[in-house]
Amino acid sequence: MNEIFEDALDQPIVSVANVAQLTVDLITATFGLQRVGVFDPKYHVPVTGAREDGTPGITMPLELFGSNSSSIAVIQQRSPVLALFKQDFTDTLLTFVRTSCVSAVIFLAGVDMSNRTDTQMLTPTTYIRPTSLPDVTSTPLSPLADLPIPPYFSLSDDSRSIPFIPGGGLTRRILSSIPNSWQIPTVCFLHYRASLRRCSIATLVGWKQPVTWGHGLFGTPHDSTLYG
């Protein structure tokens, strides 16, 4: 895994609308990242399939992508974690991140858009950071301070550091499991979404869409000859 040393690592979390996984698809295609590792899938719902562009081999539930020419590495998670292994997966993931010497880690997840205040409706994206973590000033994440993205808050009456994230999957568990001794600059971006619409993908500018998106992301196109 030496390919990702000193890279910033993006980790999607299976959540509402799979927006995090689709974001990683875009990053992988746009920056030309290649698969450089496969993780043990024992914690995940079994799934496999063909690889992008007919590349030899098979796709696995959890894979690592990177490139010597890019400062970004990503983990792509294609199936949810089995309920029995949620904490085991969380602990293993954080151990991998901590021991990989990455310069920063960015978690990506969706959050149910139906549970928002009027203020939260003004922006589709928000972020959350455990309060116990060091400030990101003078780190690879310092440009975040210039982004017009507000911090996330929950409507629930919850005094814990990481509030309830509806539709967020393991996001809360992962962020809550980060120890106080953690020194890696960390942030989690949350995107409000109820479902994924074709127009939300088609309007992306400057991003390269994976070839496989044209073969089933929104369902297989109907064969018009069937209807005369």
Side-chain angles (χ1 to χ4, degrees), residues 5-6 27 45 51 90 143 145 158 195 203 211 217:
F5 282 7
E6 300 183 359
I27 293 173
V45 174
R51 296 183 61 189
T90 297
D158 195 331
S195 61
T203 55
V211 175
L217 178 60

Side-chain angles (χ1 to χ4, degrees), residues 4 11 59 74 83 102 105 109 122 130 158 165 168 176 196 206-207 222 224:
I4 72 164
Q11 163 66 46
T59 293
V74 299
V102 295
V105 59
L122 299 177
D158 195 331
I165 304 173
S176 298
L196 191 70
W207 291 90
H222 295 295
S224 60

